[in-house]
Amino acid sequence: MSKIERAEVFVASPGRTFVTLRLTTSDGVTGLGDATLNGRELAVASYLQDHLVPLLLGKDPARIEDIWQYLYRGAYWRRGPVTMTAIAAVDTALWDIKGKVAGLPVYQLLGGRSRDGVMVYGHASGTDTAALLDDVDRFLDLGFKAVRAQAAVPDVGGTYGVRKGKVYEPAASSLPEEQPWDTEAYLRFAPGYLAAVRERFGFGFHLLHDVHHRLTPIEAARFGKQVEDCRLFWMEDPTPVENQESFRIVRQHTTTPLAVGEVLNSIWDVQHLITEQLIDYVRTSVVHAGGLTHLRRIFDLAALYQVRTGSHGATDLSPVTLAAAVHLDTAVPNFGIQEYMAHADETGEVFRSGVTFADGMLHVSEEPGLGVEYDEKAAERFPYQARYLPVARRLDGSVHDW
Ligand SMILES: O=C(O)[C@@H](O)[C@H](O)[C@H](O)CO
Ligand SMILES: [Mg+2]
């Protein structure tokens, strides 16, 4: 029997911080898992190093489901982003190993190909409507079939999702940046720029928008209703998601499709959203929702209720997560869309990935496993730097959801 012989945890900041787990078996096969929890990353690194590595050494790497159950039930303290991200890293690395041992790409282990490629959406943004329109134009020129549109609210600034440099990087400061927020100004402004995008470019592509947890249920209902003519692919994270019930209020008022789940970690976090058909797309990701083993379970539940997938894919999810996501997206029947932002060039110096972009879609390579390699020598050139996501404050100074 092959055994898990080594388990190494790497923390590096090539462009942004990534925590990476590498397992090595007694047969010399390696597997990679992403363990990045942006802004709280060292907690997961310690969870792995101090609490899971000692449990993994000597275990049979082929027993993916058993190890998942052992780590989940064995923790006793259930769910939560830190635990589920640590378990995800182990699980993803074990799928990578299983693929390499079998000589098959991971999507083949998941049931094989359901589609030729994985449709993605890119992030267009602008400091005003004109700049946003130019950016949408650029994405359409690059061949994207789906584009998310965000613009800064005039006279307020600080709006979520507006790219400053080449790469969107909200976690840019050594202490959390504080950004102003004004709900009424946003509600006055945002429907107009979404309409302007449709007016200029028409309906021959999918248009998405991320509200980023900023509205109350009734505000989100008003927004969804107001933008119905834009025929959005989805309105993302309309309200803070802890209260699954609040989606019923939004749902009762609008046919704008709803997407949620990037901050959620388990099937129980999305259970009512799915079974009561309160959402259209579930955005849980490989890295934050317990790995391929658990995410596939969520996607299967979703399929029963015609909820489709729309996995989180911002650049604070490493190339290991992106590859794992594209393998799963390639295989599942109820795939919807995959979020995709190209990683910074420095990230590509550390992670070599076989995932490629063509014609608005991502494709996995046919290499066995996930098709990603980690260059630890290159990673040494990018030592860890603490960075935080911003926080939002209303104009009266009180804390809002970022
Ligand atoms: O849907 C998205 O890409 C965003 O919500 C980001 O994931 C979030 O700002 C954390 O980086
Ligand atoms: Mg989002």
Side-chain angles (χ1 to χ4, degrees), residues 4 47-48 50-79 83-84 86-88 90-91 94 268 290 293-294 297:
I4 299 173
Y47 194 115
L48 284 168
D50 299 328
H51 299 294
L52 298 197
V53 170
L55 309 185
L56 292 171
L57 298 179
K59 285 224 160 24
D60 179 356
R63 296 180 60 165
I64 298 179
E65 182 69 43
D66 183 67
I67 290 176
W68 197 97
Q69 299 294 336
Y70 180 83
L71 297 180
Y72 181 80
R73 295 177 199 237
Y76 185 66
W77 315 107
R78 294 182 181 227
R79 311 193 286 175
T83 292
M84 296 305 275
I87 294 175
V90 176
D91 184 78
L94 292 176
W268 300 280
T293 296
H294 194 66
R297 207 149 272 155

Side-chain angles (χ1 to χ4, degrees), residues 20 52 72 81 121 158 165 172 178 209 212 217 257 268 275 281-282 317 320 346 359:
T20 307
L52 298 197
Y72 181 80
Y121 68 92
E178 304 211 344
H209 181 68
H212 224 251
W268 300 280
T275 60
Y281 297 92
V282 60
L317 282 57
V320 177
E346 299 95 305
D359 298 329

Side-chain angles (χ1 to χ4, degrees), residues 148 160 210 212 236-237 262 283:
R148 185 185 90 165
Y160 159 77
D210 190 347
H212 224 251
E236 175 179 336
D237 291 341
E262 65 180 49
R283 283 184 42 74

Side-chain angles (χ1 to χ4, degrees), residues 218-234:
I218 204 68
E219 288 163 353
R222 172 178 145 203
F223 184 89
K225 211 165 151 175
Q226 211 176 338
V227 300
E228 270 170 18
D229 287 348
C230 296
R231 281 181 256 151
L232 294 186
F233 186 89
W234 76 35

